[in-house]
Amino acid sequence: MTISGLRPRLAALITAILACVSLLSLSSAPAWAKAGSITEFPIPTKSAPIAITAGPDRALWFTEFTNGAGAIGRITTQGNFTVFPFPTASAGVSGITAGPDGNLWFVFSSVNQIGRITTAGVITVFPIPTANSGPSAITAGPDGNLWFTEVGGNQIGRITPSGSITTFPIPTSGSGPEGITAGPDGNVWFTESGGNKIGRITPSGSITEFPTPTKSSGPWGITSGPDGNLWFTEVVGKIGRITTGGSITEFRIHTTGSDPLGITSGPDGNLWFTEGAGNRIGRITPSGSFTEFPIPTTGSVPFSITSGPDGNLWFTELDGNRIGRITPTGSFTEFKIPSTCGYPDGCGPIGITSGPDGNLWFTAFDGNNIWRLTPSGSFTGAFHTPTKTSRPYSITVGPDGNLWFTEYIGNKIGRLSMQ
C-alpha cells in the first residue's frame, strides 16, 4: 500500500455518510472469551465502520459509512447494538465531537445542518441560517457551546446545547475555514486554508485574523499544544505555532514533500508527528526547536503515532511492515512483524494504541488481525479476526478495559478480551 494509494482511501473516510432507512437492535451477545481472544459483533446494517470512541454512557459509538446508507452506531461492552438512522437523506456527515452537554454533535455538510444525538439515540437536526454554508469541522468550545467552520458560507458558527445557532462572518472573503479547536485562552481558534491566516474568535463572536508569514501556506489542522500555544500544519511542508497573543512562528520541515500525517503530544512535553512521504518522525519542542529523525527502513510510510506506556513514542510503518519505537532523545528501534500476512508489502499495520495491560496493540489492515507488542519489542500474539478480509482499522481502549476496533470491510465491531 503506497502513500499515493492511501490518499483516496483517507478521502473516502471523510466522505458524506448518507441516511439510513431503519432502526435496528441486536439484543444477544456472544459469551465472554479468554484473554487475548477476539469476539466479533456483526453490525445489523450494511456499512463500513470507520471511527470509534468511548461515549459518556460507557458504550462505544462509531460512524457508519456506505455508498447508499449511513448512520451512527452504538455498541455496549456486552455487544448489544443499536443503529440510529439519519433523519435527513444524503446528509453527508463530515465531523463529530462530544459536547459539553453529554451528547454527541456532528455536522451534515451536504444538507447544511448541525446534528445532535443523545446517548439514548434521539437525533435532532438544526438548520444553519446561511444557505450552502458547507459546515465542516466542529468542536466543543470553552464557553459550553459547540463551534463549527462553514467553508461555503465563509463563517464560524456557534450552536448552543439547546440548538440556537449564531453565525459570524470571517472578515477575509474566501478564507476557507477548516480546522477548529478550543484554545487555552478561553477562545476558539481556526485555520483559514484559503486566506492563509489563523483566526481567533471570542465567545461573544469577535474575530481576529493573523496572517501566516508564508503566502499560500494552506494552514489546515490545528491543536492546542502542551506549552499553552496553538500548533497547526501547513500544506507547504511547515508546522506553525501561534501564541494566544497572535505571534506566529513557522518551522519548515526539512524534508521536501514530507506529507505529515499523525501527530500527538509526547511524554516529554513536545509534539511528535509522522512524515508519511518523508519517511521520518518529527519533533517540535515548545520553544520551537525542530528535529527530524530518519527512519532506518526506507519507504516505510509511518502513519499512526502514540505515546507508549514506557515513556517512548510508538508508530506504525504501513509499508515497512514494522512497528517503530523512538525515544524522546530520538533513538530508533524498529521491530519487524514476524509475518508478511501473504502480501508483498506485509501486514499493513495502521492503527496503534497503548493497552491497559502495559503493551502496545495495533491493527494490521491487510493481515486481518490484531497484534500485541511488548515495550521490550517482543511480538507476543497475533489475534486473527474470525472474518476473513475484515480490514481492521481504528482501535481504542473501551470503558470495560478491553480493546475495541472497527472492521472496515467486515462490517463488524471487534472486541479483544483483556480479561
Side-chain angles (χ1 to χ4, degrees), residues 44 47 69 88 149 311 368 399:
S47 68
T88 306
T149 55
N368 299 300

Side-chain angles (χ1 to χ4, degrees), residues 316-330:
T316 55
E317 298 183 22
L318 196 59
D319 278 3
N321 201 42
R322 290 167 168 82
I323 300 299
R325 179 185 68 200
I326 184 170
T327 68
T329 58

Side-chain angles (χ1 to χ4, degrees), residues 114-164:
I114 300 296
R116 179 188 66 201
I117 183 169
T118 69
T119 53
V122 177
I123 295 177
T124 307
V125 295
F126 304 95
I128 298 171
T130 305
N132 302 314
S133 67
S136 180
I138 188 169
T139 190
D143 58 344
N145 297 312
L146 287 302
W147 293 77
F148 56 94
T149 55
E150 298 181 32
V151 180
N154 200 53
Q155 301 178 131
I156 299 298
R158 180 187 66 200
I159 183 169
T160 68
S162 62
S164 176

Side-chain angles (χ1 to χ4, degrees), residues 23 88 100 110 154 165 179 204 224 232 335 352 367 389:
L23 176 65
T88 306
S110 300
N154 200 53
I165 294 178
S204 62
S224 291
F232 56 95
F335 304 97
I352 190 168
T389 65

